[in-house]
Amino acid sequence: MTAPLHGREAIVNLFRIECARATMVCEVEQILEDGEWAVLEWRDPLGLRGCGFFRVRDGRIVFQRGYFDQLSFFRQQGLAVPDRYLG
């Protein structure tokens, strides 16, 4: 689980770190939209699936939350599983 991020710099740093340690591909399954809210359902070529929820105001994302199986992701990418995931 990742703690909530606040601010553009924190978000950029997270993506910089995470994209450097694994090969990530997101293929869009579907996008649903209702007013300020949008939902993205995705998959990757290796079988991982997930979804993201976005609240958009004035053309900017003001809230985002995503769900996927991090344990499967770590194993799929050959990354060490943090001890906190196994305890």
Side-chain angles (χ1 to χ4, degrees):
M1 181 156 88
T2 303
L5 300 174
H6 300 280
R8 184 179 303 265
E9 186 176 331
I11 295 167
V12 168
N13 282 337
L14 174 77
F15 278 99
R16 186 174 288 127
I17 291 166
E18 295 302 319
C19 290
R21 50 183 248 175
T23 302
M24 293 183 251
V25 176
C26 174
E27 296 177 356
V28 175
E29 289 273 302
Q30 65 177 324
I31 297 174
L32 306 171
E33 178 266 326
D34 183 23
E36 292 184 338
W37 288 94
V39 179
L40 164 67
E41 183 181 14
W42 58 268
R43 65 180 169 82
D44 79 349
L46 301 175
L48 191 65
R49 302 178 74 85
C51 62
F53 297 84
F54 303 85
R55 189 171 201 172
V56 180
R57 287 189 185 141
D58 299 322
R60 292 182 177 245
I61 298 169
V62 296
F63 174 86
Q64 184 274 333
R65 178 174 292 146
Y67 299 94
F68 66 97
D69 182 345
Q70 285 187 318
L71 184 57
S72 293
F73 174 76
F74 288 135
R75 289 182 174 152
Q76 182 185 78
Q77 294 289 320
L79 299 172
V81 179
D83 289 339
R84 70 181 187 273
Y85 282 77
L86 304 174

